[in-house]
Amino acid sequence: MTLNPEALLIPVLLPFLGGWILLCLPELSEHKRNIFLEIFACFTSVIVFIMLYIIRGRGDAVYSFTKGFSIAFLIDGPAMLFAGMIAFMWPLALLYSFEYMRGNPRQNQFYAFYLMTYGITLGVAFSANLVTMYVFFEMLTLVTIPLVSYWSDPDSIYASRLYIGYCVFGASLAFIAVVMGTLDGIGDFLYRGNLAGEYNSNFMRIVYLCGFFGFGTKAAIFPFFEWLPKASVAPTPVTALLHAVAVVNTGAFAVLRLTWYAFGPALLSGSIVHAICILTASFSMIFAAVMALRQRHFKRRLAYSTMSNLSYILFGVALLTPDGLWGGLAHMLFHGVIKMSLFLCAGAFMRVTGNEYLYELDGVGRHMPWTFTAYTLGALSLTGIPLFCGFISKWRLLTAGIAAGTPAAFIGSVSLIISAFLCALYSLTVSVRAFYPYGGRERCGPNIHEANWKMLVPIWIFAVFNIFFGLRSGFVMSFLESIAHGII
C-alpha cells in the first residue's frame, strides 16, 4: 500500500493528545487514569503494527521549510524494527509503572510526559530524512527532562541538568552533520547513503565524525557518557525505557541512519575517521564494563552495562559491512529485550524492599524467586551464554569484526570478548548474592515478598522472549539480514 505521509502522524500525535489531556484534566483516580493510559498506549501500538504490516515506502513531505528541509516520514527496514520495538515495549512498561508509581505525587504530570515520549520516539523511527530525525531527536530531550527530574530532590535536579548539558552539546555537534548533509537538497535516507555534494571528501568525513559523536551522546559513547548513570535516579519505569529503547537506542538508531542511510560506507570506509569510530566504540565497551564492575548501586551498575552494550551496536554499525550492520541490528533488538527485563527486576527489588545497593541483595532471591530467576536469565543472556538471544547478536558481531579484516576491527573483536567476560562478573554476581548470601546471612527483612503481578507480568514476558529469541531466532535474524543488505 502506498504511504500517506499524514497517516504516520496518527501514532506520533496520538500519545501527544493523551499527554495533553492528562495535563489539562484534574487528578483522576488511579484506576481511571491507568485504564485511560493503557488504552491510549495499546491503541497506538495496534495502529503502529497495522501500519508496519500494510504500508511500505516513503511519503511526501508533511511540511517543508525550504528546499531540502522538510518533515517527511517513511517505513523501511530500520523503521519497522525500531517502531516495532517501541510499540511492543511501551504498553508493558506502562503496566509495570502502575504498581511502581502507586502512591507517588504528581502522577498526571509524570504519565503525561511518559506518554508523550512514546509518540516522539515513534517520530524518530519513522523519519525519512536528517531534518525530521533531528527535530524529533531534540524533542525527545525536552519531553524526557521532566521524567529524569521527577523526584525533585538534589540528585534528580543535578541529573537533569547534566542530561540537558550533554544533550545540548551533542545536538550542536549533530546539527553540523544535519546541515551539511542537507545543503545540497538531498538529505533523504537511502540505503548506503546519498550524499553526492561537491564538498571535499575529507571535509565530509570530519562532518560525519561530528554527527557520530553528536548523535552518539544519547547512546552514551565515550567520553560523553556521564549523564547516563546519573539519570538512573529517575523512576525505574523511566530508566527501563531510557536504557532499552527510548533514548539510548534512539542515539544508536540515529548513528545507524547517519552512517548507512546518509553519508554512506563508500565515503567513510578505510579512512582515519572510520578507524576512530571503531576504536572509540571498542574502548567504550571495556571502559563501561569496568565501571559497571566497580559500581555498588544496582541501577547504576546496569546503566554502565547499557553504555557497554550500546557500544556493541555502534561497533557493528561502524564496521561498514552488511554483516556488521546485521549484528548491530540484532543487538539493538536483543539488548532492548534483555535490558528491559533486568531494569524491571531491579525496580521490583527497590520497590518491595526500599533498598538500592548490591550488598542489600543478600538472600533476597529466596523471598523474590520469580523476580530474580527472571533477572538471572537476563544476566546469562547479556553475558552471551548460548541458548539465549544475547549470544546470537554478540557472536554475529564477533564474526563480523573478524571478517572485516582491519586492525581496528580486530581490536574491536578482542574488546568484545573482554567486555563479555567482565559482563559475566558484574551481572551474574548479583544473582549469586540474591540466592546464596555471603556466609548464609540474609540482609532483607522477613516480611519481604514477591513483586505485584503488574510488575511480574512484564518482567516475565521479556524473560520469555529472551529465551524464545535464543532458541527460535531464525525468522528474526532473516528479517534483520534483509535490512542489513538493503532488501527492505
Side-chain angles (χ1 to χ4, degrees):
M1 182 180 294
T2 303
L3 174 63
N4 182 345
E6 285 77 15
L8 285 179
L9 280 174
I10 297 173
V12 173
L13 295 181
L14 194 59
F16 252 99
L17 175 62
W20 278 113
I21 291 174
L22 277 182
L23 287 177
C24 295
L25 288 178
E27 288 285 340
L28 300 173
S29 68
E30 285 197 2
H31 180 68
K32 290 181 179 179
R33 186 191 59 244
N34 293 351
I35 294 176
F36 169 83
L37 286 165
E38 200 64 44
I39 289 175
F40 248 89
C42 290
F43 184 58
T44 302
S45 294
V46 169
I47 292 175
V48 170
F49 284 121
I50 290 174
M51 289 184 171
L52 294 182
Y53 182 74
I54 66 175
I55 297 177
R56 297 287 188 280
R58 184 187 307 273
D60 295 329
V62 175
Y63 178 80
S64 181
F65 305 101
T66 182
K67 182 182 178 182
F69 289 81
S70 62
I71 301 297
F73 298 110
L74 87 163
I75 293 182
D76 61 354
M80 292 175 67
L81 171 64
F82 195 40
M85 289 174 59
I86 298 164
F88 174 73
M89 293 180 178
W90 221 281
L92 292 173
L94 190 59
L95 174 63
Y96 176 96
S97 71
F98 296 154
E99 176 63 21
Y100 188 93
M101 298 300 296
R102 181 170 53 85
N104 287 306
R106 296 178 289 108
Q107 291 196 40
N108 269 24
Q109 176 185 328
F110 172 84
Y111 282 116
F113 288 103
Y114 198 69
L115 202 56
M116 289 180 185
T117 304
Y118 185 7
I120 295 297
T121 313
L122 286 173
V124 174
F126 290 139
S127 297
N129 55 45
L130 286 170
V131 171
T132 307
M133 184 176 73
Y134 184 80
V135 168
F136 282 102
F137 192 83
E138 291 314 299
M139 289 175 68
L140 182 62
T141 301
L142 298 178
V143 297
T144 49
I145 289 170
L147 299 176
V148 174
S149 61
Y150 171 76
W151 298 121
S152 299
D153 58 6
D155 287 342
S156 299
I157 299 301
Y158 174 72
S160 65
R161 289 176 177 174
L162 199 65
Y163 176 57
I164 295 169
Y166 274 96
C167 287
V168 169
F169 174 76
S172 302
L173 286 179
F175 188 68
I176 297 172
V178 171
V179 171
M180 294 305 302
T182 315
L183 276 180
D184 56 6
I186 302 177
D188 289 343
F189 292 142
L190 183 68
Y191 180 71
R192 289 192 172 273
N194 63 352
L195 291 183
E198 300 177 357
Y199 306 104
N200 178 273
S201 295
N202 289 329
F203 172 72
M204 291 305 289
R205 289 173 186 138
I206 295 173
V207 169
Y208 165 79
L209 195 63
C210 292
F212 178 86
F213 282 101
F215 287 121
T217 298
K218 268 198 171 72
I221 189 72
F222 184 89
F224 310 118
F225 65 89
E226 190 178 359
W227 68 269
L228 185 62
K230 297 294 184 183
S232 62
V233 299
T236 297
V238 176
T239 54
L241 286 174
L242 289 181
H243 289 255
V245 61
V247 173
V248 293
N249 264 355
T250 300
F253 180 79
V255 171
L256 184 157
R257 284 295 200 189
L258 187 77
T259 305
W260 278 87
Y261 290 81
F263 284 77
L267 174 68
L268 305 170
S269 184
S271 64
I272 295 176
V273 167
H274 182 199
I276 289 173
C277 293
I278 292 177
L279 292 175
T280 302
S282 303
F283 178 78
S284 294
M285 291 181 204
I286 298 179
F287 172 82
V290 171
M291 292 298 293
L293 193 59
R294 295 179 58 191
Q295 289 298 314
R296 295 296 174 261
H297 188 276
F298 199 172
K299 286 208 299 183
R300 279 199 288 271
R301 174 170 286 197
L302 293 178
Y304 277 110
S305 168
T306 297
M307 176 186 170
S308 179
N309 280 271
L310 263 292
S311 297
Y312 288 27
I313 301 171
L314 298 181
F315 168 69
V317 169
L319 285 175
L320 301 181
T321 64
D323 282 348
L325 180 58
W326 187 10
L329 291 168
H331 203 64
M332 179 183 292
L333 171 60
F334 296 155
H335 172 256
V337 172
I338 297 165
K339 194 51 63 75
M340 281 293 289
S341 178
L342 295 182
F343 263 104
L344 297 185
C345 289
F349 160 74
M350 294 169 66
R351 172 69 181 180
V352 170
T353 67
N355 298 326
E356 300 181 4
Y357 290 89
L358 296 176
Y359 71 87
E360 296 169 318
L361 282 164
D362 286 349
V364 74
R366 300 175 182 179
H367 299 268
M368 303 177 67
W370 287 99
T371 299
F372 280 92
T373 298
Y375 174 89
T376 303
L377 294 173
L380 290 169
S381 185
L382 195 67
T383 300
I385 301 299
L387 303 182
F388 296 96
C389 61
F391 168 78
I392 297 171
S393 56
K394 288 190 175 185
W395 181 258
R396 179 57 57 188
L397 287 167
L398 179 62
T399 55
I402 294 172
T406 65
F410 177 77
I411 292 172
S413 299
V414 173
S415 300
L416 195 152
I417 295 172
I418 296 172
S419 64
F421 172 74
L422 294 173
C423 178
L425 295 179
Y426 68 68
S427 61
L428 291 174
T429 51
V430 172
S431 298
V432 172
R433 296 198 73 151
F435 288 106
Y436 303 102
Y438 180 75
R441 179 184 175 186
E442 295 184 2
R443 292 184 179 270
C444 59
N447 296 324
I448 299 301
H449 53 81
E450 189 55 85
N452 182 279
W453 71 268
K454 293 177 184 177
M455 290 183 164
L456 285 180
V457 168
I459 286 172
W460 271 94
I461 287 176
F462 289 114
V464 168
F465 271 94
N466 171 29
I467 300 171
F468 175 75
F469 284 144
L471 299 175
R472 291 287 186 271
S473 64
F475 72 99
V476 175
M477 293 302 290
S478 177
F479 169 68
L480 298 178
E481 184 181 17
S482 298
I483 298 175
H485 287 83
I487 297 173
I488 56 175

